[in-house]
Amino acid sequence: MLTAAENKTLTETGAETPMGAVFRRYWTPALLSRELPVPNSGPLRLKLLGEDFIAFRDSDGEVGIVDARCPHRGANLFFGRNEDCGLRCVYHGWKFDVHGQCIDIPNASHAVAERLKPNAQIRALQVSEWGDVIWAYMGEGEPPKLPQFEFAKVPPSHRFVSKKFQQCNWAQACEGGLDTAHFSFLHAGINDGEKVGLHQVGLSSEDIAGQNEPTRLARFRWMIEDGEPSFTVLDHAAGMLLCAAREADNDDVYYRMTQFLMPNHSLAPGNFPEDNNLGNTWVPIDDTSCWIFCYCWNPDRPLTERECHQLSSGSGIFAEVDEHYVPLRQRGNDYLIDREAQRTSSYTGIRGISEQDAAIADSQGLIADRTKEMLVQTDLGVVRFRQTMFDATAAVASGSEPLGVEHPDAYFVRSGDAVAAPESAVEDVVSARFGQMGGHPL
Ligand code: FES
Ligand SMILES: [Fe+2]
């Protein structure tokens, strides 16, 4: 439970807020590269942390993210012409390059234009394109090195990235990604009125009893059977590894290990070695909406056409979205909840893991009220996330860098699952599963 003031600090990321100052110390995903597909393609409106920008790709292929307002008389540059290495305001023709320099003022004499140009410079963010994502740095001065995420370092054929819109505050959506205890309920199936693993929906009890269950399926049953995982949190130089342990078969322990990376990224569990890896970034648009960037990658092989097709049409953390990346099943249509399915096959009656997560985060309100919570042991990950974010506001207020900014290489980590003997120490399970990629110690 937080005080009202703490809740405000956690959730508000506008320009003059403590958490806004934290976010502005890090690179943030701003757009997918494919949203600006070719040189001189149409400029886009872009709102980040409550601030309005226009993004465009110039004739040389360079991306600019600039102030939306033309300094002449305030026309919006969204309507601008993207031409010959610059964005030209269509009201009276003033033109700006990707760095925000005013490079033409055609409605004034040469002498006046030359005098005005330096003062007509508009704000331009530092931009870097990496891993099929356009990253922006909204802070002052020299940005840090980009966070060295594995998805961005593998060859392009080994990854698929996308995004989805969500109509609620970034922090509660992010908490949903860190609260892996909810899988035992929210993402369960139903069979004969009983909660079952997703792989057991539609099977008869004899089928279930005789099922030859490999570990990658049995884990869905373990999650249903043990709704009270015990959490261990291991801190590292860019965030923390949240290890949720559940009872498996024969006294073994099933670990689902999630990375939280400052200030708004997570790498999801649910994969064994050789499986695809998954990650998210929750990017505040303003205080009541966010973009959730989604990454899938395989370090060892290209993703198949079938996998890419599945991900782009909605699967796991990837939602089924329209051409504007708005989920088809969303707040406005109650996620197309199907009450009959809720009785017979699905715990929620909502199709899609991503959509189930979105429904429940949205349902907490546009900004979740954390002054009225009753937290239990399995909320440890959520509690530690909040503490880490508050530590970051304190660091910035005292003039130091928040966690991770000075350790871009510590973002080169993985998340995933493991099955271990009951006597194993968590640290040993982590190093056996990930080696150095479990997290660089502080
Ligand atoms: S308002 Fe943009 S050129 Fe006049
Ligand atoms: Fe979930």
Side-chain angles (χ1 to χ4, degrees):
M1 190 166 110
L2 300 183
T3 65
E6 287 168 334
N7 202 37
K8 202 167 148 64
T9 299
L10 179 68
T11 54
E12 294 184 1
T13 57
E16 305 302 328
T17 62
M19 200 57 79
V22 169
F23 270 76
R24 285 165 178 76
R25 303 303 307 160
Y26 300 87
W27 284 98
T28 185
L31 289 166
L32 302 170
S33 288
R34 63 177 180 271
E35 290 183 86
L36 294 172
V38 289
N40 292 337
S41 52
L44 296 178
R45 290 190 184 92
L46 173 65
K47 187 174 233 181
L48 287 174
L49 309 182
E51 299 190 61
D52 288 307
F53 300 98
I54 299 298
F56 66 105
R57 190 184 292 280
D58 77 6
S59 323
D60 293 337
E62 250 197 275
V63 173
I65 299 182
V66 297
D67 206 348
R69 190 183 171 279
C70 175
H72 176 221
R73 279 176 41 211
N76 194 302
L77 291 170
F78 169 72
F79 297 102
R81 294 178 58 82
N82 190 359
E83 55 176 39
D84 194 17
C85 277
L87 187 60
R88 193 182 285 282
C89 178
V90 288
Y91 203 0
H92 313 93
W94 291 28
K95 185 175 175 183
F96 306 89
D97 69 11
V98 291
H99 307 295
Q101 307 264 22
C102 181
I103 50 177
D104 195 17
I105 298 184
N107 62 339
S109 70
H110 179 74
V112 170
E114 288 311 301
R115 202 178 64 238
L116 284 184
K117 273 183 191 172
N119 294 330
Q121 174 154 7
I122 56 176
R123 181 178 176 205
L125 301 184
Q126 311 225 33
V127 171
S128 198
E129 210 163 351
W130 196 51
D132 303 328
V133 171
I134 296 167
W135 299 75
Y137 182 71
M138 294 175 68
E140 303 293 320
E142 223 14 63
K145 187 177 157 189
L146 282 159
Q148 297 296 297
F149 283 108
E150 187 176 43
F151 82 85
K153 292 164 82 90
V154 298
S157 59
H158 290 221
R159 69 171 165 256
F160 179 82
V161 305
S162 190
K163 68 176 191 179
K164 55 190 182 185
F165 175 77
Q166 180 142 351
Q167 187 69 69
C168 73
N169 181 261
W170 77 277
Q172 70 212 52
C174 180
E175 286 177 351
L178 305 179
D179 160 35
T180 59
H182 74 249
F183 208 111
S184 305
F185 305 90
L186 185 66
H187 304 310
I190 294 288
N191 213 359
D192 277 341
E194 295 294 323
K195 194 154 65 69
V196 294
L198 288 176
H199 64 304
Q200 297 171 320
V201 173
L203 297 185
S204 68
S205 39
E206 291 95 73
D207 284 344
I208 289 177
Q211 208 179 18
N212 181 13
E213 229 182 11
T215 304
R216 65 185 64 249
L217 290 183
R219 68 199 169 101
F220 289 113
R221 179 169 52 76
W222 298 332
M223 281 193 281
I224 300 308
E225 288 171 355
D226 186 352
E228 197 198 327
S230 94
F231 277 83
T232 308
V233 178
L234 304 176
D235 295 309
H236 63 72
M240 55 194 165
L241 185 65
L242 311 170
C243 308
R246 286 180 169 89
E247 283 175 27
D249 297 331
N250 308 318
D251 291 334
D252 279 346
V253 179
Y254 169 48
Y255 285 93
R256 286 169 68 82
M257 296 176 280
T258 309
Q259 288 281 0
F260 170 66
L261 298 153
M262 285 293 289
N264 56 344
H265 317 276
S266 103
L267 305 181
N271 56 310
F272 286 107
E274 296 176 20
D275 289 345
N276 292 340
N277 292 263
L278 295 167
N280 285 129
T281 305
W282 290 266
V283 178
I285 298 170
D286 51 28
D287 292 337
T288 56
S289 61
C290 59
W291 286 115
I292 308 178
F293 283 73
C294 307
Y295 321 109
C296 175
W297 75 101
N298 194 309
D300 306 315
R301 62 161 176 87
L303 300 184
T304 64
E305 230 172 87
R306 187 158 174 268
E307 285 171 327
C308 292
H309 175 73
Q310 271 177 343
L311 296 169
S312 63
S313 40
S315 168
I317 63 166
F318 289 77
E320 189 175 358
V321 292
D322 67 14
E323 68 274 25
H324 304 294
Y325 299 95
V326 175
L328 303 188
R329 298 183 289 287
Q330 29 104 341
R331 188 190 270 276
N333 57 19
D334 279 333
Y335 315 87
L336 302 181
I337 186 169
D338 176 343
R339 297 295 186 185
E340 180 56 18
Q342 191 171 29
R343 269 185 289 277
T344 55
S345 57
S346 153
Y347 197 71
T348 56
I350 293 169
R351 186 152 57 86
I353 287 188
S354 168
E355 288 80 357
Q356 293 161 1
D357 285 329
I360 230 58
D362 285 347
S363 78
Q364 293 172 296
L366 285 173
I367 302 178
D369 182 355
R370 294 172 179 77
T371 66
K372 297 195 176 80
E373 295 174 326
M374 299 170 72
L375 300 182
V376 295
Q377 204 64 35
T378 58
D379 295 311
L380 182 66
V382 166
V383 170
R384 292 296 301 276
F385 156 72
R386 296 173 187 175
Q387 273 168 357
T388 307
M389 298 309 292
F390 293 138
D391 289 349
T393 58
V396 171
S398 71
S400 17
E401 292 293 2
L403 187 68
V405 168
E406 293 172 321
H407 296 279
D409 294 326
Y411 287 75
F412 189 63
V413 288
R414 287 185 189 159
S415 58
D417 300 6
V419 179
E423 61 276 10
S424 317
V426 179
E427 289 80 1
D428 295 337
V429 176
V430 170
S431 47
R433 173 70 174 83
F434 304 116
Q436 274 302 304
M437 292 191 75
H440 304 232
L442 284 166

